[in-house]
Amino acid sequence: MLKNMSSALVIAVVAGLICGRDAAAQDAAKAGQERFEWQVASPESQQMSLSRLEALREKLVQRRTTALVVIRNDRIVYQWYAAGMDGHQPLGTASLAKAIVGGMSLAVPLSDGLVSLDDPVSRFVPAWKDDADKSKITIRHLGSHTSGLSDASQPNVPHEKLTGWMGDFWKRLGPPNDPFSIARDKAPVLFSAGREIRYSNPGIAMLTYCVAAALRETPHRDIRLLLRDRVMRPIGVPDGEWTIGYGTAYQVDGLPLRAAWGGGNYSLDAVARIGRLVLRKGDWDGAQVLGSKAIEQITTDAGLVGHCGMGWWTNGGGRWPALPRDAVWGAGAGDRVLLVVPSLGLIAVRHGQALLTADELEQLKPKDVFEEYHDPRERVFFRPLLETVLDRPLEKQAP
């Protein structure tokens, strides 16, 4: 239809669409800031066991937990913070940023129809068009860690000890040695896209690159402003309770790029509110902040190998029988976790250090990301948490 319009009319139509989205975002922001606050209720009133929650908290504290918030049906039924902590101070999120920064920023252009999961990355990165391997990579591959792009890591080597392009990725130098240029030009492809799942921080860097490129002609191509105006303010999160991208923007190909693989600092309340937005499929008390289909696309199994959406992890494949199939979570180093179970109206946020000690991990000798991180999380945190819910369907209860 647009090709038959005059240039002036096309500009007017696009401007109208952008203004319409901005007006909707402003309405949603007003609704989020004025209408919603968590209510506090007893666990029993929401069909949860206080004694089991207390027992879970005691065990988690033994495993270096510093904060735990449990919400059911929009009511805080349990919260505990170590000395000096509260729900409104920004805390490091590590790779939880992949979900709450990377996934949520992607949900905006998905909602607006500016990008699809099956778009080739070469649509946004022309340099990849003639590369035999990279030309086959899609947005879906990047978000679900199935792109084949190498991670910037080596077993048992701290980031600061890495050398070559891997070491440079974590140093966050300026162009052309910035993380995004390195991910685009230097990270090798280890296998054909979609063949297997292999965790990749450069893959998430390229996902953020594509989001910014998709938004190039909009007022919000900087994902910090995008998240502020389209997600965080609409759900009532104060600007002072979150930051992203290690506080740095890189100018690459005329785009302001910010890290989404890590580098985010969010208050526990901000994280929980994002969980509520996901649980409600993008609705915030009647304001559709994000499209319900977009939320489904970023949080459910991407249809490839593994159990990953777009920066989010999922039990859609039923790997963990004690966990409902609709359970999704974001997670980072130190087991900083946001768990959302829509079928139970349940949100949980955990902050601290790793649930497993180095010795326990060594004894485990994991073969993949699920055995190393998600299986222990399910066993130590998710499953005991589900056992505090008293009205679960029998088939979803742990053995």
Side-chain angles (χ1 to χ4, degrees), residues 133-344:
D133 294 316
K134 292 179 178 179
S135 62
K136 298 175 184 176
I137 299 174
T138 66
I139 300 294
R140 186 186 301 272
H141 293 132
L142 293 176
S144 61
H145 298 287
T146 58
S147 68
L149 278 183
S150 171
D151 194 14
S153 67
Q154 294 178 353
N156 302 316
V157 180
H159 292 161
E160 64 272 15
K161 299 293 185 180
L162 293 167
T163 60
W165 73 266
M166 290 185 180
D168 289 344
F169 180 89
W170 297 105
K171 291 174 184 175
R172 302 193 295 276
L173 304 172
N177 294 312
D178 63 278
F180 296 94
S181 296
I182 290 172
R184 182 192 61 198
D185 302 333
K186 297 182 180 180
V189 177
L190 304 179
F191 54 85
S192 297
R195 195 186 75 190
E196 61 181 271
I197 185 168
R198 193 174 301 188
Y199 200 74
S200 175
N201 286 285
I204 299 298
M206 292 308 300
L207 177 70
T208 314
Y209 186 113
C210 291
V211 169
L215 298 166
R216 188 185 290 271
E217 303 303 324
T218 77
H220 290 116
R221 58 181 182 164
D222 184 329
I223 66 168
R224 183 183 67 83
L225 300 179
L226 178 79
L227 289 171
R228 184 194 69 185
D229 294 344
R230 296 293 301 276
V231 178
M232 303 304 281
R233 285 181 177 176
I235 64 175
V237 178
D239 293 350
E241 290 194 18
W242 68 286
T243 62
I244 67 169
Y246 302 98
T248 301
Y250 300 91
Q251 292 293 327
V252 180
D253 293 341
L255 298 171
L257 302 179
R258 296 180 185 269
W261 58 88
N265 290 275
Y266 283 62
S267 71
L268 300 180
D269 181 72
V271 174
R273 285 173 180 261
I274 292 171
R276 183 179 191 257
L277 186 64
V278 167
L279 186 148
R280 296 170 61 92
K281 299 189 183 302
D283 170 85
W284 196 264
D285 294 337
Q288 198 66 41
V289 175
L290 295 170
S292 59
K293 183 178 179 181
I295 292 294
E296 180 180 353
Q297 287 177 307
I298 67 167
T299 59
T300 56
D301 195 325
L304 303 167
V305 294
H307 307 270
C308 191
M310 300 294 103
W312 290 79
W313 301 96
T314 171
N315 193 39
R319 178 184 176 100
W320 300 278
L323 203 58
R325 290 287 187 106
D326 66 342
V328 298
W329 61 95
D335 290 301
R336 298 154 193 184
V337 178
L338 165 62
L339 173 68
V340 181
V341 188
S343 61
L344 297 177

Side-chain angles (χ1 to χ4, degrees), residues 78-127:
Y78 195 86
Q79 56 184 329
W80 174 84
Y81 307 99
M85 295 183 64
D86 62 43
H88 295 281
Q89 63 188 113
L91 301 168
T93 60
S95 284
L96 175 55
K98 291 178 172 67
I100 62 177
V101 179
M104 300 310 288
S105 62
L106 174 60
V108 177
L110 282 172
S111 298
D112 294 347
L114 298 177
V115 67
S116 78
L117 295 188
D118 293 317
D119 280 342
V121 175
S122 60
R123 173 189 167 194
F124 308 102
V125 187

